[in-house]
Amino acid sequence: MRSHEERFAETKRRIAARQRREQRRRSTITTLSAAAACLVLIVGVSFAMPGMVAGVRPGDFAGYETAASMYGGGAALGYIVIGLLSFLLGVCVTVLCFRLRQMNREDDQDKESEDAHGAD
């Protein structure tokens, strides 16, 4: 039979474990939502970019900004912007995946510590 203190400690441990699971679930949802939002942003901009680039006329600028540039035609500029946004998406997804992996490691350590102190 367990003492009152042991029951109290076990209850606190269960509450802490439940709070960790809930925090991990919220973090996972937030991470996946952020990755999905980045992907939607990239896809949306990639569909909108040709129209935006086509709307830029050579007479809209002074003509000197891209006079000696390989981007003077205007079509390549859209591809460069999409490439940069895709790179940023890759960075964001890498950071988010790293955080997910770190959270999973912490959960595994918590499970091991629970097993070591486990319930009778």
Side-chain angles (χ1 to χ4, degrees), residues 20-30 103:
R20 282 191 304 272
R21 281 194 305 267
E22 185 65 25
Q23 178 64 30
R24 189 183 93 222
R25 187 179 68 80
R26 279 193 301 256
S27 295
T28 303
I29 289 171
T30 302
M103 286 188 302

Side-chain angles (χ1 to χ4, degrees), residues 9-49:
E10 182 65 22
T11 303
K12 283 180 70 174
R13 187 190 64 78
R14 287 181 185 167
I15 290 171
R18 184 176 295 150
Q19 288 174 343
R20 282 191 304 272
R21 281 194 305 267
E22 185 65 25
Q23 178 64 30
R24 189 183 93 222
R25 187 179 68 80
R26 279 193 301 256
S27 295
T28 303
I29 289 171
T30 302
T31 302
L32 293 176
S33 298
C38 289
L39 183 60
V40 167
L41 177 70
I42 293 296
V43 169
V45 169
S46 68
F47 282 122
M49 188 57 63

Side-chain angles (χ1 to χ4, degrees), residues 13 108-119:
R13 187 190 64 78
D108 291 342
Q109 289 175 353
D110 290 340
K111 286 180 185 177
E112 287 176 7
S113 67
E114 285 178 9
D115 290 342
H117 301 314

Side-chain angles (χ1 to χ4, degrees), residues 61-102:
F61 300 105
Y64 299 110
E65 289 87 1
T66 59
S69 174
M70 64 181 195
Y71 314 122
L77 186 61
Y79 292 113
I80 291 170
V81 171
I82 294 300
L84 290 174
L85 289 174
S86 298
F87 173 75
L88 290 175
L89 173 68
V91 170
C92 291
V93 169
T94 302
V95 169
L96 295 173
C97 289
F98 178 76
R99 290 204 50 199
L100 279 174
R101 185 175 177 196
Q102 188 177 20

